[in-house]
Amino acid sequence: NIEMRGWLSGNDEIYRLYEQAQVVLVPSVWPENLPTVCIEAMAIGRPVVGTKTGGIPELISDGESGLVVPMRDSDALAHAMLELFTNAPMREEMGKSARARAEHFRIERFAAEILGVYKEVIGLVETPFVAATEIVDGVSEEVVEIIDDVPHDTQAEAKEKAEQAPL
């Protein structure tokens, strides 16, 4: 059965529906940069059928974590849905791939990468600083203090490195 639920609010209800779904359909016509519905569904292990607009084709690995169809092509959308509804092994494999793909978008990963950039930049500054990241919803909190004993470049070396650094 297909249900058109409209606008939903409240994480508990949304995640309960993701868990009940076999496939999540994202037939966007608006070029959303990073549609969270795709990431949320994939994190639950659901393959996503999405349209080729905005960031959807970058989120869904077509044929691996879901299917990408042309925008405003109802026949292609129906075919993709039918293919996943009638092929349980394919749907399950895509669901596993979707879950693995969603790991790439975890906030902890982004925070670690940003922290890595801060640490890399340390060599370009003369004074110590504190880099802090707080991750929402109490998932985790990390504070890194860089103190005076970290070797610092001289003013001239820092300026030279900054001029040579790629932007």
Side-chain angles (χ1 to χ4, degrees), residues 53-64:
T53 185
I56 293 172
E58 294 176 39
L59 290 174
I60 302 169
S61 297
D62 189 28
E64 293 178 26

Side-chain angles (χ1 to χ4, degrees), residues 2-167:
I2 296 175
E3 291 183 39
M4 302 298 285
R5 300 297 300 233
W7 178 261
L8 300 172
S9 62
N11 285 342
D12 291 341
E13 180 184 9
I14 292 169
Y15 284 105
R16 182 181 54 75
L17 291 170
Y18 284 142
E19 288 173 357
Q20 291 175 358
Q22 292 181 21
V23 175
V24 175
L25 182 63
V26 185
S28 292
V29 293
W30 184 258
E32 303 171 66
N33 291 330
L34 187 68
T36 54
V37 66
C38 292
I39 298 169
E40 292 168 344
M42 291 165 59
I44 299 291
R46 298 300 177 260
V48 177
V49 175
T51 49
K52 195 177 231 177
T53 185
I56 293 172
E58 294 176 39
L59 290 174
I60 302 169
S61 297
D62 189 28
E64 293 178 26
S65 60
L67 297 171
V68 179
V69 299
M71 189 172 56
R72 294 190 167 104
D73 186 339
S74 57
D75 289 337
L77 195 58
H79 177 74
M81 290 168 39
L82 188 60
E83 185 175 9
L84 287 173
F85 285 136
T86 59
N87 189 337
M90 174 193 261
R91 186 176 61 243
E92 289 167 13
E93 269 311 301
M94 283 188 178
K96 289 176 189 173
S97 293
R99 182 176 288 130
R101 176 90 175 112
E103 288 295 314
H104 177 78
F105 298 97
R106 292 182 58 83
I107 194 161
E108 294 88 351
R109 182 181 163 275
F110 282 114
E113 285 186 13
I114 289 171
L115 190 56
V117 170
Y118 288 152
K119 288 178 179 180
E120 191 176 312
V121 171
I122 291 170
L124 300 178
V125 296
E126 186 174 334
T127 57
F129 64 92
V130 174
T133 59
E134 283 187 32
I135 299 175
V136 208
D137 296 329
V139 174
S140 70
E141 182 178 307
E142 182 179 353
V143 178
V144 176
E145 294 184 33
I146 290 93
I147 54 176
D148 285 325
D149 62 2
V150 172
H152 299 285
D153 295 316
T154 65
Q155 196 81 321
E157 289 171 334
K159 183 178 178 185
E160 186 179 324
K161 279 186 180 180
E163 289 169 354
Q164 294 173 358
L167 296 178

